[in-house]
Amino acid sequence: MRMEWGSEIGVVFYRWIIKLRRQPIYLFFSLIQPLVWFLLFTQAFSAIGNIPGFEQITGTSDYITFFTAAVIIQTIASSALQSGIGMVNDLDSGYLDKMKVAPIHKSSILLGKVLSDGVSIVIQVGIIIALALIVGVNIATGVAGVALILLLAMAFGIAWSGISLFVGLQTKSTETTLSVGLLTTFPLLFLSTAVMPKELLPMWVQNVATLNPISYIANAFQGLIIRGFEWGAIANAIIVIALIGVVSLGASIALFRRAVNR
């Protein structure tokens, strides 16, 4: 039973990887916004690194280095958003109608999809890290830290993609899925510690940032990039990722089963 389920996930995973290879332009479009942020936003606001106390709080006076974590998170969120849009396209094309009569576990269709999204996210985050190194960002934890960043990015991307999958399955609308994704991602990003250290945020934003899951992912990435292996921050990020994944993917799988069994 488990062998069959794993094989089914592998087949669906391979289908999406083939689609990605045939249409690599999707990777490029997902990277446009993070690249603009990285190359323009950091240059326009590079003076933030000169704010008194910034270096003492963050461990660096280089805002580009600090902001790299935010760009990685934005890259993950943009790529995860494509998961729900891809599912809506499958609904519109009739592909999922064929899956209704296929002798496979329905959850394998969804899990194969999100695993392929995880691979896409690793590729995109790898490109962002390579660009960061080119512009002078130093990764304090070296190769091991980069590998851990990629693993956390993949796990967070899979968990976060469950949100767009749920919205896509619920609304069956590309426009709504895109809108909800953008309206949730940007406020959460700017109300976290990804863009500015917590101590320099207004008090009410600090309170929101404490409850914001993005803050815990950003703290882990910033530690790996700037200061070293901060295992407490890494553990917190893993817990947050697990909680998001259980809720978002659990809800998506339940909704998906209901959709294909009608």
Side-chain angles (χ1 to χ4, degrees):
M1 181 72 72
R2 290 182 179 178
M3 290 286 290
E4 291 179 359
W5 188 54
S7 298
E8 292 165 2
I9 293 173
V11 169
V12 176
F13 170 83
Y14 183 70
R15 170 188 179 250
W16 284 102
I17 292 298
I18 290 296
K19 290 186 70 173
L20 181 62
R21 286 175 57 189
R22 290 175 178 172
Q23 297 175 309
I25 192 68
Y26 286 130
L27 283 177
F28 174 74
F29 280 121
S30 296
L31 281 169
I32 287 178
Q33 193 170 63
L35 287 173
V36 169
W37 275 32
F38 200 42
L39 297 176
L40 298 181
F41 188 91
T42 53
Q43 296 301 316
F45 295 93
S46 60
I48 290 175
N50 298 324
I51 293 176
F54 185 90
E55 183 174 4
Q56 288 73 24
I57 294 169
T58 65
T60 180
S61 61
D62 182 13
Y63 186 64
I64 295 178
T65 299
F66 177 82
F67 194 71
T68 298
V71 179
I72 291 174
I73 293 172
Q74 172 59 22
T75 302
I76 296 169
S78 296
S79 186
L81 183 59
Q82 299 300 318
S83 190
I85 294 174
M87 192 58 65
V88 172
N89 290 336
D90 271 359
L91 286 166
D92 291 340
S93 69
Y95 173 77
L96 289 184
D97 289 333
K98 298 176 183 178
M99 291 295 100
K100 289 181 180 181
V101 296
I104 64 174
H105 297 84
K106 307 310 177 189
S107 60
S108 63
I109 302 171
L110 208 61
L111 292 175
K113 166 61 175 158
V114 297
L115 286 175
S116 70
D117 293 331
V119 171
S120 172
I121 286 168
V122 167
I123 295 171
Q124 292 173 314
V125 172
I127 293 171
I128 292 296
I129 292 174
L131 180 61
L133 293 172
I134 290 171
V135 298
V137 173
N138 179 51
I139 308 295
T141 50
V143 175
V146 170
L148 186 51
I149 289 172
L150 293 175
L151 284 173
L152 289 173
M154 183 177 188
F156 179 52
I158 290 173
W160 201 254
S161 67
I163 298 173
S164 73
L165 281 170
F166 181 83
V167 175
L169 289 166
Q170 183 69 43
T171 65
K172 299 178 177 62
S173 167
T174 299
E175 292 78 10
T176 303
T177 303
L178 180 62
S179 298
V180 171
L182 293 175
L183 288 174
T184 54
T185 298
F186 282 102
L188 284 175
L189 190 63
F190 281 97
L191 292 174
S192 74
T193 57
V195 178
M196 188 70 70
K198 182 178 178 180
E199 292 82 354
L200 299 180
L201 294 170
M203 185 54 66
W204 73 271
V205 180
Q206 290 187 34
N207 294 332
V208 174
T210 302
L211 302 174
N212 187 342
I214 299 294
S215 293
Y216 297 93
I217 310 303
N219 292 343
F221 286 159
Q222 288 163 357
L224 289 167
I225 293 168
I226 302 170
R227 297 178 294 275
F229 293 99
E230 298 178 340
W231 295 111
I234 293 169
N236 288 337
I238 292 172
I239 292 170
V240 168
I241 290 169
L243 290 174
I244 294 173
V246 167
V247 174
S248 66
L249 294 176
S252 297
I253 290 172
L255 188 59
F256 182 74
R257 283 175 173 165
R258 193 157 65 242
V260 298
N261 288 327
R262 287 174 181 171

